[in-house]
Amino acid sequence: MAHTLFDKLWDAHLVASDEAGESLIYVDRVCMHERTGSIAMQSLIERGLEVRRPEHAYCVMDHTVDTRPGRGDATPAPGGEAFIASARGSAHALGLRIFDVNDDDQGISHLVSAEQGFAVPGVTLVCPDSHTCTLGALGALAIGVGASQVEHALATSCVRLTKPEAMRIRFDGILAPWVTAKDMALHLIAEYGADAAKGTAVEYSGSAVQALSVEARMTLCNLAVEFAAFTALIAPDDKTIAYVSGRRYAPRPLPTDAWRALDSDACAEFAHEISIDASRIRPRITWGTSPDQGIAVDGIVPEPESRDAKKALDYMGISHGTRMTDVDIDAAFIGSCTNSRLGDLRAAARILRNRRVAPGVAAVCVPGSTHVKREAEAEGLDKVFRDAGFEWRESGCSMCFYAGGETFGPGKRVVTSTNRNFEGRQGPAVRSHLASPEVVAASAVRGAISSPEML
């Protein structure tokens, strides 16, 4: 019988299942961050339980940390210091590895998991964060779960789940200049709707996916949750193996033959399939308050066809019939687990080099990890950003989401490389337009929504 990649990973970790369709899945890695992870760890301690495999669990400080230079434990997010202190104390008590605020390897949890070699092909990994599916780009079965499920995984190395159906999404063809993995994802979500993959395990494939770097594949998998997917996967290949090789916690020697065998069988059947001609995708941007409300950067805002669409236009302060390139912006943000890796910063710097941010535009760049920040500074990318008028920050989630801390201000219009443009996502009444780092950089320079081709 032919199996999908998802079937193979699920079956390899299946401990037990019942007639109701629930399964007990073995968990190889448990990642936590200070907001929800602190809750799981504290509950475990209060119940007098121990971590079954402490060497395979770790905690990262990322969601509430201050990203301004010279930071300490103080944070602009109300309650952030308590989350940090609680996570630190609980992790110490449980004997877990902590990537603390000023650790040399601190960063956003999904970047740290990949950089350190915790996420590798074939493993299962859970984290109490919806964008854990990012790590499926490495051929890992990475699942975002709740705090109580993390507590269960810490104590038992298992988690109870219902197996989802499998969906295959093929991108074939050669991407046009300036088109990125972010554009691929935004195109997909706009074409099919934000809930089209609801509850499914998505496998991305096709020549356009194979041509992507591993970092770009992470962007594609990251946004699967905005397509309502349970998780996302890309079969590992030589690029994956090269990326994982030498990582601190990666296995030695690498089981390369076993990893190369992690692919869907030729005759495997998927419950759902989508095929997209990648050559027709253009640089994208969202106009509304959902990732599926998007068009080409030079497109015209459509007439609202629903009450939600009209509400979105009212919130965003945009009228249908408006050309997006006529929309002025107040701020630009490059960061988040979606687009803050070294390749993203290089791409944005390519546009910003020898250019300046438009007058009146506030621009911020937050590398996704301290490792990325060091590499970027070694290449002089920080100077490019600073010379262009961007703030250059320490790593963390920062203004990807508003937790009562930093924001660009009510009513401000932001072009952002993040993953969600919901009402208030980047602060009360902030208007967020999702785009690639290249589009963010071009828009910052022009002072209006722009594609790099316009500069």
Side-chain angles (χ1 to χ4, degrees), residues 66-210:
D66 190 358
T67 60
R68 292 169 297 190
R71 68 180 176 194
D73 283 358
T75 168
E81 293 174 40
F83 279 120
I84 291 170
S86 175
R88 181 183 292 140
S90 295
H92 275 306
L94 294 169
L96 307 184
R97 172 71 163 95
I98 308 171
F99 296 89
D100 216 328
V101 176
N102 287 313
D103 190 288
D104 286 345
D105 295 311
Q106 178 271 343
I108 300 173
S109 55
H110 316 308
L111 274 75
V112 170
S113 295
E115 289 172 351
Q116 296 299 312
F118 288 113
V120 297
V123 305
T124 49
L125 184 150
V126 298
C127 177
D129 186 282
S130 59
H131 291 100
T132 304
C133 52
T134 304
L135 299 166
L138 296 169
L141 180 52
I143 305 166
V145 296
S148 61
Q149 290 171 296
V150 167
E151 182 184 352
H152 189 192
L154 288 171
T156 69
S157 296
C158 291
V159 65
R160 189 170 64 181
L161 299 167
T162 300
K163 186 179 181 180
E165 293 181 329
M167 170 185 277
R168 178 163 58 190
I169 301 174
R170 290 188 61 91
F171 286 93
D172 286 301
I174 299 173
L175 295 177
W178 302 114
V179 174
T180 70
K182 183 69 161 286
D183 301 304
M184 294 167 68
L186 292 178
H187 174 89
L188 171 70
I189 297 168
E191 285 289 307
Y192 292 92
D195 62 351
K198 188 173 182 179
T200 67
V202 168
E203 180 179 339
Y204 292 109
S205 64
S207 60
V209 174
Q210 293 169 350

Side-chain angles (χ1 to χ4, degrees), residues 355-371:
R355 292 188 171 107
R356 287 283 301 175
V357 169
V361 173
V364 177
C365 178
V366 181
S369 72
T370 303
H371 179 74

Side-chain angles (χ1 to χ4, degrees), residues 253-399:
L254 299 181
T256 54
D257 289 342
W259 287 355
R260 288 191 177 98
L262 291 175
D263 199 356
S264 291
D265 295 332
C267 297
E269 294 186 2
F270 292 80
H272 313 275
E273 297 217 35
I274 292 175
S275 294
I276 292 175
D277 181 355
S279 67
R280 301 183 65 181
I281 300 173
R282 298 167 63 192
R284 308 280 301 186
I285 194 149
T286 57
W287 53 262
T289 56
S290 172
D292 63 351
Q293 295 172 333
I295 52 178
V297 170
D298 62 352
I300 295 173
V301 178
E303 186 171 354
E305 297 180 351
S306 67
R307 180 179 299 176
D308 286 345
K310 185 179 185 304
K311 182 184 177 187
L313 287 179
D314 290 343
Y315 179 85
M316 295 298 291
I318 294 180
S319 302
H320 70 85
T322 300
R323 187 172 294 279
M324 292 301 291
T325 51
D326 291 335
V327 178
D328 293 337
I329 69 168
D330 301 296
F333 180 80
I334 294 176
S336 86
C337 59
T338 310
N339 281 125
S340 63
R341 286 169 280 274
L342 186 61
D344 299 313
L345 304 191
R346 285 171 175 163
R350 176 183 171 191
I351 292 162
L352 294 172
R353 197 178 302 276
N354 300 320
R355 292 188 171 107
R356 287 283 301 175
V357 169
V361 173
V364 177
C365 178
V366 181
S369 72
T370 303
H371 179 74
V372 168
K373 182 173 181 283
R374 282 197 304 271
E375 288 189 315
E377 290 174 349
E379 295 182 13
L381 300 185
D382 60 318
K383 186 176 188 303
V384 174
F385 278 94
R386 289 191 178 104
D387 288 349
F390 268 75
E391 287 186 48
W392 180 255
R393 297 286 194 96
E394 301 292 337
S395 63
C397 293
S398 189
M399 285 186 276

Side-chain angles (χ1 to χ4, degrees), residues 190-273:
E191 285 289 307
Y192 292 92
D195 62 351
K198 188 173 182 179
T200 67
V202 168
E203 180 179 339
Y204 292 109
S205 64
S207 60
V209 174
Q210 293 169 350
L212 295 174
S213 68
V214 172
E215 290 188 348
R217 295 175 187 179
M218 291 183 194
T219 296
L220 191 60
C221 287
N222 175 276
L223 287 160
V225 71
E226 312 310 332
F227 202 39
F230 170 81
T231 192
L233 289 159
I234 295 174
D237 58 12
D238 288 345
K239 290 182 181 179
T240 316
I241 293 169
Y243 179 91
V244 170
S245 179
R247 303 286 175 179
R248 181 182 301 175
Y249 295 102
R252 289 179 174 79
L254 299 181
T256 54
D257 289 342
W259 287 355
R260 288 191 177 98
L262 291 175
D263 199 356
S264 291
D265 295 332
C267 297
E269 294 186 2
F270 292 80
H272 313 275
E273 297 217 35

